[in-house]
Amino acid sequence: PSCRRYVAGGQCKSTARLEGKVVIITGANTGIGKATARDLARRGKVIIACRDTAKAEAAASEIRAETGNQEVIAKKLDLADTKSIREFAERFLAEEKELHILINNAGVMLCPYSKTADGFEMQLGVNHLGHFLLTFLLLERLKQCAPARIVNVSSLAHHGGRIRFHDLHGEKSYNRGLAYCHSKLANVLFTRELARRLQGKFQRQEGLTANALHPGSVYSDLVRHSFVMTWLWKIFSFFLKSPCEGAQTSIYCAVAEELESVTGQYFSDCQPAYVSPRGRDDETAKKLWSVSCELLGIQWD
């Protein structure tokens, strides 16, 4: 029915092949990430980077069987622990000579107040800081393999976010819904500042791009921490995208030929989308960058 078609939203029409190319997708053992991995595995080599190795291995072997592509590999990566992120990057760089597409997809949503191994508020820590560090560690390899792409999965929820520099880790006040919005705004600001820096350093023809996206409201287990949301998701499932439909914009940003030199943008339903004024604030983006570097103990100029 046309209503269902409307819910499904934009579709990635690109048939681009990724022979000889390597893709990393974080959190690809379930939901949108898994659907993204399944599609990209029909095109090239995919590395599924997840916290739960058993689930990641199960997803990888299922995708290998479905696509006939044996180059779908599961690796351990816990974004809530910078030690794990560094180990993952080190192992990856030692084992793989190429990296063309990095999809920062993993995320936690609406979780009760908790902290990562490094003392960051969990949603900001996993959704923003973990991916910030991962991107930093893999950036040289992406540059060497350019044209290459960085794809950050954000959300429409960024409209409700603000970067609370005075209380980044929610120690003074914490609302799990707002904390999610803040972390998704951080994804948009990170993408914007990263694209700006890459263009400055690294002339456009080099072709290392960074874009963010909203996947749509997707029927997945991302809402598992909220009883109310889980219940609402079940009732309204007809009006939610399937993971495969939700993955379309991630796939589009990763492979669409027309995006080859497009960078620093935000997409939804496989087309450019409106970014909140806070998501376009360059001063906040720059400040978030330097605060993130400070928290992670890295120098990223």
Side-chain angles (χ1 to χ4, degrees), residues 29 46 58 65 68 92 105 121 148 190 198 204 213 251 257 273 278:
N29 59 327
V46 176
F92 172 82
N105 162 84
E121 183 273 311
F190 167 46
L198 289 175
R204 191 162 223 166
L213 67 106
I251 298 162
E257 296 85 346
R278 286 202 186 103

Side-chain angles (χ1 to χ4, degrees), residues 56-66 72:
E57 196 36 74
S61 77
E62 185 187 311
I63 293 169
R64 285 194 293 266
E66 265 179 56
V72 180

Side-chain angles (χ1 to χ4, degrees), residues 84-191:
S84 169
I85 299 168
R86 288 178 179 282
E87 280 166 7
F88 168 84
E90 223 166 280
R91 267 205 311 273
F92 172 82
L93 294 170
E95 291 165 11
E96 300 285 342
K97 292 295 155 256
E98 311 264 308
L99 176 59
H100 302 88
I101 301 168
L102 170 62
I103 303 180
N104 290 318
N105 162 84
V108 288
M109 179 181 182
L110 302 174
C111 47
Y113 189 75
S114 60
K115 286 187 166 177
T116 67
D118 303 85
F120 310 141
E121 183 273 311
M122 187 61 74
Q123 297 189 75
L124 186 78
V126 170
N127 300 353
H128 167 61
L129 292 166
H131 282 128
F132 186 94
L133 178 61
L134 180 66
T135 307
F136 168 74
L137 295 170
L138 298 176
L139 196 72
E140 279 312 308
R141 183 60 46 92
L142 283 158
K143 282 183 183 174
Q144 288 157 13
C145 298
R149 302 184 188 192
I150 297 162
V151 178
N152 294 326
V153 179
S154 178
S155 166
L156 186 65
H158 84 269
H159 286 276
R162 52 172 32 164
I163 306 300
R164 302 168 67 246
F165 290 109
H166 66 286
D167 188 21
L168 265 188
H169 304 297
E171 286 156 332
K172 299 191 179 93
S173 71
Y174 179 75
N175 172 304
R176 56 193 189 168
L178 287 176
Y180 179 70
C181 296
H182 304 333
S183 73
K184 294 288 112 179
L185 173 60
N187 293 154
V188 171
L189 291 167
F190 167 46
T191 306

Side-chain angles (χ1 to χ4, degrees), residues 230-280:
T230 304
W231 182 71
L232 285 171
W233 247 223
K234 281 200 168 63
I235 294 173
F236 293 109
S237 61
F238 179 79
F239 299 103
L240 296 170
K241 293 184 179 190
S242 68
C244 176
E245 290 160 355
Q248 293 304 309
T249 308
S250 296
I251 298 162
Y252 174 74
C253 289
V255 302
E257 296 85 346
E258 65 267 30
L259 298 188
E260 199 146 296
S261 59
V262 173
T263 190
Q265 300 300 308
Y266 171 76
F267 294 86
S268 176
D269 279 326
C270 301
Q271 54 190 0
Y274 179 73
V275 177
S276 76
R278 286 202 186 103
R280 285 176 273 136

